[in-house]
Amino acid sequence: MLSDVLWNIFLGVIGGTISSVIVSRVFLLQNELQSHFDALESGLRKIHYLHGIIHTLKTVMQLDYDTDIDKHEQMKIHGYKSEDEYYASKKNARWIDAVELKKHLIKLANDEAQKVFDELRNLNIKGKESTTLLDTYVTYVNKIKSMQEAPFSLIDETDRLYNKAINQFDQYKEGASKRLIKRVITDHTMIVLLVIVLFVAIGFVVAKFFGI
């Protein structure tokens, strides 16, 4: 019948159009999530770099602490009454000013953390999982950005936040597929398209029932 042919053409046009829109929308959502992932992965690399500076600072602090203990033990053994006497006995030794080195590393960490903070603040990130991970990054960077001194307790706190960021990113990476599915089924455009498909299907059934 002519009506059947027209219905088939109509359904073909509508179905093809909606299908192409759905596919395009899914790709758009996928690209959006991929851009979030790429930005957060890049942010993690910058956090690795900051952690490297902090780890170097921690190493210098530990060596300075160990050297200080060894110095006082040597003073007791050799009967030095002051640090000046101790250093006089080591006049040929090549000393590194640990205090100045620590100041330099702290300033470097502050400056680099400020750069990373500015980059993170300008990211256009959406979604609960993405923003939660971004918040962890910002918390870590803020700790370093505001660091004036570096007690071991503060260094340990940055280590804890660093490990938290890594673990959260690993979970974020593993949940990529689930995130895409959730994003698709909650997207307003996709919901509208599915409603249109539903109405077309209902219209087709009704038309067939009444022989239109």
Side-chain angles (χ1 to χ4, degrees), residues 51-111:
H51 180 68
I53 298 174
I54 297 301
H55 183 73
T56 302
L57 174 61
K58 183 178 182 180
T59 301
V60 171
M61 291 168 59
Q62 187 63 58
L63 288 172
D64 184 44
Y65 177 77
D66 293 342
T67 301
D68 195 53
I69 291 177
D70 181 68
K71 177 182 65 179
H72 286 90
E73 288 179 351
Q74 291 295 319
M75 288 175 65
K76 289 179 181 179
I77 292 172
H78 297 286
Y80 299 130
K81 296 180 180 180
S82 67
E83 291 186 358
D84 289 339
E85 289 186 21
Y86 171 80
Y87 287 121
S89 69
K90 305 286 185 180
K91 60 183 180 181
N92 292 326
R94 300 181 63 183
W95 298 99
I96 296 176
D97 191 336
V99 174
E100 288 301 316
L101 181 55
K102 284 187 286 186
K103 287 181 180 179
H104 171 75
L105 288 171
I106 290 174
K107 186 178 185 308
L108 176 62
N110 293 156
D111 293 344

Side-chain angles (χ1 to χ4, degrees), residues 20-194:
S20 63
V21 173
I22 289 176
V23 171
S24 298
R25 187 62 182 172
V26 170
F27 273 114
L28 180 64
L29 295 175
Q30 185 180 33
N31 289 336
E32 180 182 288
L33 291 176
Q34 184 63 45
S35 69
H36 292 175
F37 178 86
D38 292 343
L40 290 169
E41 186 177 43
S42 176
L44 185 62
R45 286 197 295 269
K46 293 178 175 66
I47 284 178
H48 286 323
Y49 170 61
L50 290 177
H51 180 68
I53 298 174
I54 297 301
H55 183 73
T56 302
L57 174 61
K58 183 178 182 180
T59 301
V60 171
M61 291 168 59
Q62 187 63 58
L63 288 172
D64 184 44
Y65 177 77
D66 293 342
T67 301
D68 195 53
I69 291 177
D70 181 68
K71 177 182 65 179
H72 286 90
E73 288 179 351
Q74 291 295 319
M75 288 175 65
K76 289 179 181 179
I77 292 172
H78 297 286
Y80 299 130
K81 296 180 180 180
S82 67
E83 291 186 358
D84 289 339
E85 289 186 21
Y86 171 80
Y87 287 121
S89 69
K90 305 286 185 180
K91 60 183 180 181
N92 292 326
R94 300 181 63 183
W95 298 99
I96 296 176
D97 191 336
V99 174
E100 288 301 316
L101 181 55
K102 284 187 286 186
K103 287 181 180 179
H104 171 75
L105 288 171
I106 290 174
K107 186 178 185 308
L108 176 62
N110 293 156
D111 293 344
E112 294 301 316
Q114 181 63 59
K115 294 177 185 177
V116 176
F117 176 80
D118 291 339
E119 292 179 14
L120 295 177
R121 185 176 56 183
N122 292 326
L123 291 179
N124 184 22
I125 297 293
K126 300 176 183 177
K128 183 179 179 181
E129 294 89 348
S130 300
T131 54
T132 298
L133 179 56
L134 181 60
D135 287 343
T136 301
Y137 287 4
V138 171
T139 301
Y140 173 82
V141 173
N142 268 329
K143 280 284 183 183
I144 299 174
K145 184 168 68 73
S146 60
M147 180 186 294
Q148 299 299 318
E149 296 182 355
F152 281 109
S153 59
L154 181 57
I155 298 295
D156 291 340
E157 177 67 11
T158 62
D159 283 344
R160 186 187 69 79
L161 289 171
Y162 172 73
N163 291 326
K164 181 181 178 181
I166 292 176
N167 292 333
Q168 283 188 354
F169 180 80
D170 288 341
Q171 294 174 5
Y172 179 79
K173 185 176 181 179
E174 292 173 359
S177 298
K178 292 181 179 179
R179 222 166 22 254
L180 176 59
I181 294 173
K182 181 180 178 180
R183 187 74 175 86
V184 168
I185 63 178
T186 59
D187 180 64
H188 292 166
T189 302
M190 294 295 291
I191 293 174
V192 170
L193 290 172
L194 291 175

